[in-house]
């Protein structure tokens, strides 16, 4: 039953604990070889977030069961949609501003790897809602983009700083904006 989550959790652990070894081009391609990134990496993370947000909303908040269900679904939906929107925006920014046509698979691997940080932050802030300062872990995403910009997407040395800042900010801001839009629809979340 838990086999579905092993790859995703192992990869998140490797990305967060030893990025230099995990984020090499060959290592990433081997890790994701033959895998559907959305089904086998993003969705298990979204499902774990769904469960954790549902349980912690029931435990920590004064909301009822319906609010906990809606909050959990919105968090899950926001995570999955953020992945898709981020993939599109990273490819668009890369093509528009850096005149780079990246392989769709490479971009999706990069965004999925960056979404690991979003997953960890969302998971820990759901488990410990008063520890909002854990969101500072998003800064780690800049380093991850820097590491991946050498091999995975192959950005030139003079453009690497701009690319790192733009892509990291995109992947940080997109989930926040999507969640804010969802919260506008249901103001009690």
């Amino acid at each position: 039953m838990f086999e579905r989550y092993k790859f995703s959790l192992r990869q998140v652990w490797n990305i967060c604990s030893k990025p230099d070894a995990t984020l090499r081009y060959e290592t990433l391609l081997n890790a994701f070889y033959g895998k559907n990134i959305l089904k086998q990496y993003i969705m298990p993370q979204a499902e774990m977030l769904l469960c954790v947000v549902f349980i912690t909303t029931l435990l920590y908040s004064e909301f009822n069961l319906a609010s906990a269900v809606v909050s959990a679904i919105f968090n899950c939906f926001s995570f999955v949609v953020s992945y898709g929107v981020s993939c599109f925006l990273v490819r668009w920014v890369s093509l528009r501003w850096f005149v780079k046509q990246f392989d769709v698979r490479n971009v999706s691997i990069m965004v999925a790897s960056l979404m690991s940080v979003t997953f960890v932050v969302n998971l820990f802030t759901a488990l410990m809602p008063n520890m909002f300062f854990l969101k500072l872990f998003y800064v780690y995403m800049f380093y991850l983009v820097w590491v991946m910009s050498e091999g995975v997407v192959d950005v030139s040395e003079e453009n690497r700083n701009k690319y790192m800042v733009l892509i990291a900010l995109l992947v940080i801001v997109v989930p926040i904006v999507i969640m804010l839009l969802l919260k506008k629809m249901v103001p009690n979340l």
Side-chain angles (χ1 to χ4, degrees):
M1 178 178 164
F2 295 106
E3 284 296 317
R4 174 173 166 75
Y5 305 101
K6 277 187 179 179
F7 167 71
S8 186
L9 287 174
R10 188 175 349 102
Q11 194 66 21
V12 167
W13 175 258
N14 288 339
I15 289 171
C16 292
S17 66
K18 45 188 174 190
D20 291 330
T22 307
L23 297 177
R24 289 193 187 127
Y25 184 63
E26 300 84 23
T27 310
L28 271 178
L29 286 182
N30 288 336
F32 286 101
Y33 179 76
K35 297 199 181 329
N36 184 325
I37 295 170
L38 181 63
K39 286 183 182 177
Q40 294 176 308
Y41 189 73
I42 297 295
M43 287 307 291
Q45 291 176 10
E47 292 164 4
M48 287 183 271
L49 282 175
L50 178 93
C51 293
V52 168
V53 169
F54 175 72
I55 292 168
T56 57
T57 303
L58 278 178
L59 291 176
Y60 294 140
S61 72
E62 65 278 351
F63 296 126
N64 58 13
L65 180 65
S67 296
V69 168
V70 170
S71 177
I73 289 172
F74 276 15
N75 272 292
C76 177
F77 180 77
S78 170
F79 187 77
V80 174
V81 170
S82 298
Y83 165 74
V85 171
S86 295
C87 283
F88 172 78
L89 288 176
V90 166
R91 284 199 75 218
W92 183 80
V93 164
S94 299
L95 185 63
R96 177 93 170 144
W97 287 335
F98 297 98
V99 193
K100 288 275 189 184
Q101 182 70 30
F102 297 127
D103 182 38
V104 176
R105 181 113 173 120
N106 288 356
V107 170
S108 60
I109 287 172
M110 182 175 85
V111 172
S113 299
L114 294 174
M115 291 296 287
S116 299
V117 175
T118 303
F119 169 72
V120 170
V121 169
N122 288 346
L123 187 70
F124 282 119
T125 55
L127 288 171
M128 301 171 279
N130 292 334
M131 300 185 80
F132 61 90
F133 60 86
L134 291 173
K135 293 186 179 195
L136 290 173
F137 190 55
Y138 279 128
V139 173
Y140 187 58
M141 210 176 285
F142 289 95
Y143 175 69
L144 295 180
V145 175
W146 178 264
V147 170
M148 284 189 281
S149 64
E150 310 183 88
V152 178
V153 290
D154 201 28
V155 176
S156 64
E157 194 71 36
E158 60 271 358
N159 288 332
R160 194 169 296 160
N161 287 337
K162 288 185 269 185
Y163 188 78
M164 175 193 62
V165 170
L166 273 172
I167 299 307
L169 284 176
L170 270 176
V171 178
I172 291 169
V173 169
V174 166
I176 294 169
V177 168
I178 290 173
M179 197 59 180
L180 287 174
L181 291 174
L182 290 172
K183 284 184 178 185
K184 282 283 190 191
M185 292 176 13
V186 180
N188 289 339
L189 291 179

